[in-house]
Amino acid sequence: MIQKISTLNSKNKLILIALAFILNLVLRLPSVPHEIGNDSYQIHVLANSITQFGFAKWWINIYSVFGLYTFSYASSVPFLLSGIQQLGNFEMESVVWVMGTSLGLFSMFSAYLMATSLSDKFFFRFAFSLFYSISQGILQFTVWDASTRGLFLVMFPLFFYFLAKENMSLPKKIVLICLLFLFLRATHNFAYFGVIVFVSYVFTQLLLSIGYVASKIKQHSVLANSLYLASLIFLITFAFLTKFMMVGSRYGSFLVLIVATARYVGPILIFAIGGAAYAIFKDSKSSNEWFMLVTVLMFSLIFFSADYGKFILLPLTIYFVAIGFKNMLFSGSKSKIIHIFIILIILSSSIFSGFYNHYRTGDSQGYWYMKEQTNVAGLWARDSMELSSHILTTGGDVWRLIAISNGHAIFPSIPPVALTYDFISEDEAINSTIASDIFSLSYFFDGPYVQKSGTYFWGKYDWISNFPVDDNRYKTFIELYDIKYLVFDTYSYRSIMSNIDSKKSKVYDNRRIVIYIAEA
């Protein structure tokens, strides 16, 4: 059997790839009626605004394109959504599904390209492509979700491909890497991961280009491998003991890392143990194998970060999974138990990913997608409210309703929405901005400019929700921000909703979403 597998012809390889493509497509077929997540709806609102106004109103300067200025957002995904919608004349919610599914399918090929630059073995390439594309870490952000993290995770393997690809001229590499970095920077803050990957590649190539060093590593491979493992353990231990980039308990961060990695990778994680051991202790490593190991070493300090660790671990862990899977497949064992085990692992990974793609456990199962009542209310707002009508809300599912209303019902759910829909002027936005410390991590991940304390609109909304609608502070607030409607999710009750039926004219009520005229 092993001999037959190792000598697959091109036709059978294409069949395997086609089956993997079909599996990816089936896993992404939706089982819920509407768009998933919360961040997705905020990007949905920004995409609506581009279609509505013809340009990004949150762009104040060049930094705004990349989400590096106050009241801005990384622009690639909103522009992609708006462009697809205008070309196809679809509903934006349908566009979100089309784009997410397309990106999910493309992740097969971006991962396959990355794998081709790292190995000439078909089954390593196939395993990396399959397991990466059907992992929960990819599926979660590429199934009816406009999250910018999805686009980043799909495109990130190309960074490895451009760097590690042989027979590519240096100028071509530089141009492609720079263009990809700019695109990823306009997608998500995670683009800075690319800098670390680039440094890892340059360091590896420079080190191995020194003939004396390369020969010593080859002659004393056991020592070199042991030093690498010791360095990796030291850096991880250092990060753990010093709580580097951790929030809260170090033990809690450790458990979160383990659980999140298992959740994002799935049952195939078991292959990563053997794959990592093989990659570290293998003799006569290629330069690209050292490149991947050095990349792991460079990233080891941020593994415990709740914001970044699980995302950077995803492609690195799948790399080791693919090595472990390939090694077990070609272990030479004729035992049917090994073959059955491999089949069961692949099936369990598909089932695991499919389950979490269509269900949620714990508290999130009640709100991971938009309910039909919210959708109907959003459609009513689209048909009955004037364009760009400012609303006052206490939150809840109204965060999603404003996306469905196509810019007819708006509140400043995130800062760029506030600027886009004139809750704040451009001059006021600039005056609300201060520069970050260039030597701080927030300079790179939050941006070189941040908002002054006390200028966040949601804080003002949260404050005014504590007062009844006949309070003078309420009257001042709705006049200041030209509030036309009060839109409440009955599941998100606040003091402002107390006895409101006797004080304001109700214009819509479906038991979940209630809308009133806001006049003072």
Side-chain angles (χ1 to χ4, degrees):
M1 178 177 177
I2 297 299
Q3 186 177 6
K4 290 180 180 179
I5 291 176
S6 62
T7 57
L8 283 179
N9 58 34
S10 298
K11 179 182 177 181
N12 289 331
K13 290 177 181 178
L14 286 174
I15 290 173
L16 277 177
I17 292 172
L19 290 174
F21 183 88
I22 293 170
L23 175 61
N24 263 277
L25 182 59
V26 170
L27 285 174
R28 287 174 168 80
L29 294 176
S31 61
V32 295
H34 295 292
E35 194 175 336
I36 295 169
N38 289 308
D39 291 351
S40 178
Y41 286 90
Q42 309 316 309
I43 298 168
H44 185 152
V45 172
L46 294 177
N48 284 342
S49 76
I50 295 171
T51 302
Q52 178 183 341
F53 300 114
F55 64 100
K57 287 187 69 176
W58 68 87
W59 283 7
I60 295 177
N61 56 38
I62 189 63
Y63 291 106
S64 302
V65 177
F66 305 101
L68 294 174
Y69 200 73
T70 54
F71 295 92
S72 70
Y73 204 91
S75 304
S76 66
V77 173
F79 270 88
L80 282 171
L81 290 171
S82 178
I84 295 170
Q85 184 198 34
Q86 293 179 69
L87 286 171
N89 197 29
F90 302 129
E91 290 287 340
M92 187 63 78
E93 194 176 24
S94 299
V95 172
V96 170
W97 182 81
V98 169
M99 193 183 84
T101 301
S102 300
L103 287 175
L105 295 175
F106 183 74
S107 70
M108 268 190 64
F109 299 101
S110 65
Y112 192 87
L113 284 174
M114 174 179 168
T116 60
S117 67
L118 300 175
S119 173
D120 60 356
K121 305 298 183 183
F122 170 75
F123 272 96
F124 170 82
R125 298 173 176 181
F126 177 75
F128 186 86
S129 173
L130 174 65
F131 293 143
Y132 189 73
S133 60
I134 69 169
S135 67
Q136 256 300 297
I138 297 296
L139 279 169
Q140 182 174 341
F141 301 109
T142 58
V143 177
W144 219 343
D145 191 320
S147 170
T148 55
R149 284 170 288 188
L151 179 57
F152 172 83
L153 289 170
V154 168
M155 300 300 291
F156 190 47
L158 295 180
F159 214 96
F160 289 89
Y161 171 70
F162 291 145
L163 285 170
K165 175 67 175 174
E166 296 178 357
N167 303 320
M168 182 185 290
S169 66
L170 183 60
K172 187 176 181 180
K173 275 192 178 188
I174 292 173
V175 170
L176 289 173
I177 288 167
C178 288
L179 289 175
L180 180 60
F181 177 78
L182 286 174
F183 179 74
L184 293 179
R185 180 50 271 187
T187 299
H188 202 282
N189 287 340
F190 290 169
Y192 295 120
F193 291 164
V195 176
I196 300 177
V197 175
F198 179 78
V199 170
S200 301
Y201 178 77
V202 171
F203 174 80
T204 304
Q205 294 302 311
L206 289 176
L207 191 65
L208 296 180
S209 68
I210 302 172
Y212 175 79
V213 174
S215 64
K216 287 298 181 182
I217 290 175
K218 193 171 183 178
Q219 291 173 15
H220 304 286
S221 60
V222 174
L223 178 60
N225 295 338
S226 299
L227 285 174
Y228 172 84
L229 181 60
S231 300
L232 182 62
I233 292 172
F234 171 79
L235 288 175
I236 292 175
T237 303
F238 174 82
F240 179 77
L241 294 178
T242 60
K243 299 180 64 175
F244 184 75
M245 293 191 75
M246 292 186 194
V247 176
S249 164
R250 61 171 61 92
Y251 299 102
S253 297
F254 176 77
L255 290 174
V256 167
L257 173 68
I258 299 300
V259 171
T261 303
R263 171 77 157 74
Y264 274 24
V265 176
I268 55 169
L269 184 61
I270 192 172
F271 288 121
I273 301 170
Y278 176 84
I280 292 172
F281 293 107
K282 178 186 176 183
D283 291 331
S284 302
K285 296 182 183 67
S286 68
S287 62
N288 283 338
E289 288 172 329
W290 274 116
F291 161 49
M292 291 302 295
L293 289 176
V294 171
T295 301
V296 172
L297 200 66
M298 291 284 194
F299 278 114
S300 59
L301 285 173
I302 65 171
F303 284 167
F304 296 107
S305 168
D307 293 327
Y308 309 116
K310 58 190 176 185
F311 294 106
I312 192 55
L313 269 172
L314 180 62
L316 300 178
T317 304
I318 297 293
Y319 169 72
F320 292 128
V321 165
I323 292 174
F325 175 81
K326 184 258 299 180
N327 288 347
M328 179 168 284
L329 192 63
F330 295 101
S331 62
S333 172
K334 297 182 179 180
S335 171
K336 290 184 178 180
I337 295 176
I338 296 295
H339 302 153
I340 292 171
F341 174 75
I342 292 172
I343 293 170
L344 288 177
I345 286 292
I346 295 174
L347 284 175
S348 64
S349 293
S350 301
I351 293 170
F352 179 88
S353 294
F355 174 83
Y356 279 105
N357 200 37
H358 299 288
Y359 300 95
R360 292 292 188 273
T361 56
D363 295 338
S364 64
Q365 62 184 321
Y367 56 84
W368 64 289
Y369 66 91
M370 180 177 64
K371 303 303 182 184
E372 185 59 30
Q373 289 167 300
T374 305
N375 180 62
V376 171
L379 295 174
W380 182 90
R382 180 193 303 182
D383 296 335
S384 305
M385 293 184 183
E386 294 180 2
L387 201 60
S388 303
S389 294
H390 291 189
I391 67 171
L392 177 60
T393 182
T394 57
D397 237 18
V398 180
W399 288 71
R400 291 163 167 164
L401 180 151
I402 62 173
I404 303 302
S405 77
N406 271 11
H408 286 259
I410 289 294
F411 78 95
S413 52
I414 54 177
V417 174
L419 179 59
T420 298
Y421 286 97
D422 301 322
F423 284 86
I424 187 172
S425 68
E426 185 173 311
D427 288 339
E428 288 173 322
I430 293 172
N431 291 332
S432 300
T433 300
I434 55 175
S436 297
D437 180 2
I438 194 172
F439 297 107
S440 66
L441 285 174
S442 64
Y443 181 89
F444 298 97
F445 290 101
D446 297 329
Y449 300 95
V450 295
Q451 284 180 241
K452 292 178 181 177
S453 177
T455 63
Y456 288 88
F457 269 90
W458 185 241
K460 298 176 182 180
Y461 266 60
D462 186 61
W463 171 77
I464 201 63
S465 296
N466 294 314
F467 308 107
V469 293
D470 51 6
D471 190 285
N472 286 331
R473 284 165 290 195
Y474 162 83
K475 297 175 183 178
T476 302
F477 188 90
I478 66 167
E479 289 174 358
L480 178 62
Y481 295 111
D482 192 26
I483 306 296
K484 301 296 185 184
Y485 296 92
L486 309 179
V487 183
F488 298 127
D489 180 348
T490 56
Y491 287 18
S492 183
Y493 184 86
R494 296 291 297 275
S495 299
I496 195 173
M497 300 164 66
S498 177
N499 299 319
I500 193 170
D501 283 341
S502 62
K503 301 172 183 177
K504 295 295 176 185
S505 298
K506 184 189 297 183
V507 294
Y508 181 85
D509 185 356
N510 68 10
R511 296 188 179 182
R512 176 69 189 266
I513 304 296
V514 187
I515 302 176
Y516 301 87
I517 302 295
E519 76 271 349

